[in-house]
Amino acid sequence: MAKRIDVSGLTAYYGSHKAIEDISMTVEPRSVTAFIGPSGCGKSTFLRTLNRMHEVTPGGRVEGKVLLDDEDLYGAGIDPVSVRREVGMVFQRPNPFPTMSIFDNVAAGLRLNGKYKKSELNDIVEKSLKGANLWNEVKDRLNKPGSGLSGGQQQRLCIARAIAVEPDVLLMDEPCSALDPISTLAIEDLIGELKERFTIVIVTHNMQQAARVSDRTAFFNLAAVGQPGRLIEIDDTERIFSNPSVQATEDYISGRFG
Amino acid sequence: MSHAVLTDKRPSTLRGARLPKWSPWAIAAGSIAVAVGIGLAAGLDSRVQWGLIAAIVFVLGTYVIAARVEGGRQAKDRVATSLVWVAFLLAVIPLVSLVWTTISRGMKVLDPYFLTHSMGLVADAEPGGGIYHAILGSLEQVGLATVIAAPIGVLTAIYLVEYGRGRLAKAVTFFVDVMTGIPSIVAGLFILSLMLIFEMQPFGFAGSLALAILMMPVVVRSTEEMLKLVPNELREASLALGVPKWRTILKVVLPTSIGGITTGIMLAIARIAGETAPVLLLVWGNSLINANPFEGAQASLPLYIYQQYANSAGAGAAYDRAWAASLTLIAFVMILNLVARGIARWKAPKTGR
Ligand SMILES: Nc1ncnc2c1ncn2[C@@H]1O[C@H](COP(=O)(O)OP(=O)(O)OP(=O)(O)O)[C@@H](O)[C@H]1O
Ligand SMILES: [Mg+2]
């Protein structure tokens, strides 16, 4: 069940350092939105505010609103743990749990939340691994440790782990930056399939990737070093890559930057 | 072939003269010979002096020869290596000598009878008797101390690493540091003062409390280090799946570090198993079997060793028993260490395919 994200006036701090300022945007359900922008402009920070992972960092603070289908994630009485069950996340570096087997890694979200029926677990794990295009490669060694897979396989394992808990939104922070072109392609295909079911937000430094996988693209930038990052514009991917309305976007995309 | 032709044409800048592989051994043998020569000539009768001379000659000789043949940088490298070797030997020699002495003297009376009988009414000068009561006392006191100190220590470490921010955490860290430095006799006196307030007689559990005070900071420190080694990414991965923090700690952080934590606890146990002072103050010692740690004086291995030795006047049956008990204590600590290693290896995060 994909959900819409509506962000308004979002500002995030690390202690006294303001990392991003006054960001507003809408992310449509069942679509892929790509975040692009130079290093340090706050893409990861913004992404982490969308499932309340930002406050896990010591000193992390957020102002503003993030509506998930009309419910403010930062409203009073909202449990960050429940938020993270609905908004899943895949990290830049694959991080399977080293003490768990492949099967246990995928089942981790359900098991650790204590909400599953034993009979369903096998089916969910198989479905998730198939969803992450990993089933065929690991079906014979589900009981082997997850850290014994290749980097690309580990990343797909992490995606399987994230989709096993059936979130409404899937956040991906540079999911392909450590992968070879073939694994990258596999994950891009996967994103195309996953958007039928989830709302997907992906951070990427790869322009072609943004152009290939996303429906909408948001460009972030910072005015100067030490200044907070801002959203410059968000538009249909086609428009951003052919005819953006802001000059800075065009400069960044065409490589004439800084 | 072309390689050979190339190298023949120009002298390689990557290759220089090297001492042969066996040269360190040759230099070592040479320096020992020199040391023996000097020792005999100067009439030094202490073998320790001979050894020190050999060590110095070895380091200097290595430097001079290597500097001649290989040049300055390699010479420094070799001197560093030889210093490490000398330090290693200096550390190992006393250890080996200690283990050897203990085994050779301890084996005399160490037999199943010795392990399964108490002293009873055997007099100090008489042969016979055993250490069953002391083993029992040690196991109970150390076991109870571990039951108290390990959970508190691990929980404190979890608090410090996973939750601790600000003043309270700083204060706890400070007190743990202070506790690390408490001499064992002071921990014993602390419990003794409590016992005197409540007019209690010596009993095993009082010793356990003092041992727990000594054990706790060691457990906190080692567990803290192990928890810090768990990558933050794993915590974030778990939190991002919507797992509450306490479950993340229980199901992800602790399993990842459990091997190291157990090793730390085992080493802490090994440390308190040899404590004598608080046991002497609080448990008093007993030559009869007392299986109840909550009432009446008990024996313990280190205390037994001390008392037997103190009453032996340097020879005789009590003296042999002291060594045999020492051997038992060392074996106990060794077994704990081996168990710790086994657990660490068994529980270590699995890699490989
Ligand atoms: N844990 C942290 N503590 C303090 N400051 C941080 C922390 N993480 C990031 N920042 C700061 O926040 C700003 C935004 O960082 P962020 O990681 O969001 O950038 P990014 O756009 O994801 O960059 P990249 O493309 O290199 O991943 C940077 O100025 C960075 O120095
Ligand atoms: Mg980033």
Side-chain angles (χ1 to χ4, degrees):
Chain A
M1 195 181 48
K3 284 189 178 173
R4 173 202 309 277
I5 308 174
D6 232 319
V7 184
S8 53
L10 189 114
T11 302
Y13 301 83
Y14 289 101
S16 57
H17 172 65
K18 194 192 272 182
I20 50 174
E21 186 175 39
D22 195 22
I23 292 181
S24 305
M25 69 163 68
T26 302
V27 176
E28 296 296 333
R30 289 193 190 75
S31 72
V32 178
T33 304
F35 291 175
I36 59 172
S39 191
C41 68
K43 306 178 295 295
S44 300
T45 306
F46 180 56
L47 199 70
R48 288 163 63 92
T49 62
L50 299 184
N51 67 343
R52 297 198 58 171
M53 282 298 286
H54 179 64
E55 64 209 49
V56 169
T57 317
R61 218 150 37 82
V62 176
E63 290 163 6
K65 275 186 178 175
V66 180
L67 301 184
L68 190 68
D69 271 5
D70 303 327
E71 195 161 21
D72 186 4
L73 299 188
Y74 288 93
I78 296 282
D79 179 8
V81 171
S82 324
V83 170
R84 292 176 200 139
R85 281 180 200 172
E86 297 191 5
V87 186
M89 187 160 203
V90 174
F91 295 81
Q92 179 169 354
R93 289 225 318 236
N95 50 3
F97 299 124
T99 49
M100 299 184 193
S101 67
I102 294 172
F103 183 95
D104 292 342
N105 259 287
V106 181
L110 296 162
R111 278 207 184 129
L112 297 185
N113 289 331
K115 285 198 301 194
Y116 69 97
K117 292 202 197 89
K118 277 224 166 69
S119 53
E120 289 175 355
L121 205 58
N122 284 326
D123 294 341
I124 294 178
V125 168
E126 180 173 344
K127 201 176 99 190
S128 308
L129 282 171
K130 279 183 175 155
N133 273 331
L134 190 62
W135 177 249
N136 286 328
E137 286 154 80
V138 301
K139 63 174 181 243
D140 302 322
R141 47 168 167 158
L142 289 175
N143 291 320
K144 295 279 163 59
S147 41
L149 296 172
S150 81
Q153 290 170 329
Q154 285 187 21
Q155 190 64 299
R156 277 178 283 152
L157 180 63
C158 293
I159 294 178
R161 182 174 69 185
I163 61 181
V165 291
E166 288 285 323
D168 304 316
V169 180
L170 197 56
L171 308 174
M172 303 177 136
D173 194 352
E174 303 184 41
C176 304
S177 64
L179 304 184
D180 71 305
I182 294 174
S183 306
T184 303
L185 214 61
I187 287 182
E188 286 180 10
D189 289 346
L190 179 60
I191 292 171
E193 291 166 23
L194 291 178
K195 81 171 181 181
E196 311 283 323
R197 290 192 286 147
F198 304 104
T199 306
I200 294 181
V201 181
I202 176 174
V203 175
T204 177
H205 278 293
N206 182 329
M207 297 304 141
Q208 286 83 21
Q209 184 171 61
R212 278 194 301 263
V213 301
S214 71
D215 304 305
R216 287 168 68 78
T217 297
F219 174 62
F220 292 78
N221 201 356
L222 24 68
V225 177
Q227 299 278 320
R230 288 167 169 281
L231 175 67
I232 303 301
E233 63 172 319
I234 174 166
D235 212 331
D236 289 340
T237 299
E238 244 163 71
R239 232 181 105 78
I240 290 274
F241 280 92
S242 59
N243 186 16
S245 47
V246 181
Q247 183 61 35
T249 314
E250 187 167 348
D251 289 350
Y252 181 74
I253 287 167
S254 55
R256 272 177 282 131
F257 191 75
Chain B
M1 276 315 287
S2 60
H3 283 282
V5 174
L6 266 181
T7 38
D8 281 348
K9 264 187 199 160
R10 286 178 270 169
S12 166
T13 49
L14 298 179
R15 249 182 280 168
R18 297 282 292 165
L19 282 172
K21 278 242 172 64
W22 45 262
S23 59
W25 299 106
I27 297 174
S31 37
I32 290 173
V34 170
V36 170
I38 295 179
L40 289 178
L44 302 170
D45 43 30
S46 161
R47 295 292 146 89
V48 176
Q49 283 169 326
W50 292 21
L52 285 178
I53 294 173
I56 292 168
V57 172
F58 176 60
V59 173
L60 288 180
T62 305
Y63 183 78
V64 171
I65 294 174
R68 272 280 170 83
V69 180
E70 298 182 326
R73 185 171 55 78
Q74 278 91 342
K76 279 179 203 145
D77 181 37
R78 284 193 184 268
V79 164
T81 313
S82 56
L83 277 178
V84 170
W85 272 103
V86 168
F88 170 71
L89 286 179
L90 283 182
V92 158
I93 287 170
L95 186 68
V96 169
S97 125
L98 178 119
V99 170
W100 174 244
T101 316
T102 315
I103 290 179
S104 60
R105 300 197 181 167
M107 287 310 276
K108 254 188 232 166
V109 287
L110 188 63
D111 54 20
Y113 181 89
F114 185 71
L115 291 177
T116 51
H117 289 76
S118 73
M119 281 311 287
L121 300 174
V122 177
D124 288 328
E126 281 174 44
I131 53 170
Y132 178 72
H133 60 308
I135 295 179
L136 190 71
S138 262
L139 286 181
E140 283 179 353
Q141 288 150 30
V142 170
L144 284 171
T146 308
V147 168
I148 300 169
I152 297 181
V154 170
L155 288 176
T156 308
I158 290 177
Y159 168 75
L160 287 177
V161 174
E162 305 290 336
Y163 293 97
R165 309 256 176 275
R167 285 231 179 135
L168 182 57
K170 284 217 183 85
V172 173
T173 310
F174 176 72
F175 280 115
V176 170
D177 281 343
V178 172
M179 274 177 82
T180 317
I182 292 184
S184 56
I185 187 79
V186 175
L189 285 173
F190 170 64
I191 301 292
L192 183 66
S193 64
L194 292 181
M195 269 169 63
L196 292 180
I197 292 175
F198 295 106
E199 297 185 348
M200 283 189 278
Q201 294 301 312
F203 61 116
F205 186 66
S208 303
L209 288 177
L211 294 180
I213 293 178
L214 296 173
M215 185 176 172
M216 226 177 304
V218 184
V219 175
V220 175
R221 272 277 164 271
S222 60
T223 307
E224 243 188 307
E225 293 310 316
M226 288 304 137
L227 291 177
K228 280 184 197 157
L229 285 182
V230 177
N232 238 339
E233 297 164 7
L234 292 183
R235 296 188 180 91
E236 295 202 336
S238 175
L239 291 175
L241 285 173
V243 179
K245 186 163 179 170
W246 66 271
R247 268 194 98 94
T248 299
I249 295 170
L250 206 63
K251 298 284 184 174
V252 174
V253 178
L254 283 180
T256 310
S257 52
I258 192 71
I261 294 176
T262 345
T263 312
I265 293 176
M266 293 288 186
L267 294 177
I269 295 176
R271 181 192 181 287
I272 60 164
E275 281 298 345
T276 322
V279 184
L280 182 64
L281 280 180
L282 304 169
V283 193
W284 271 34
N286 188 344
S287 55
L288 301 172
I289 298 174
N290 173 13
N292 183 359
F294 297 99
E295 204 186 333
Q298 267 192 318
S300 101
L301 274 176
L303 185 55
Y304 177 92
I305 297 168
Y306 166 72
Q307 287 171 339
Q308 289 292 317
Y309 181 77
N311 298 336
S312 72
Y319 182 74
D320 290 339
R321 283 196 292 267
W323 278 107
S326 311
L327 183 56
T328 316
L329 185 57
I330 290 182
F332 173 68
V333 171
M334 279 287 275
I335 291 171
L336 270 186
N337 273 316
L338 290 180
V339 169
R341 274 163 185 263
I343 291 177
R345 185 170 302 175
W346 171 50
K347 282 288 183 186
K350 292 160 194 68
T351 48
R353 281 140 206 259

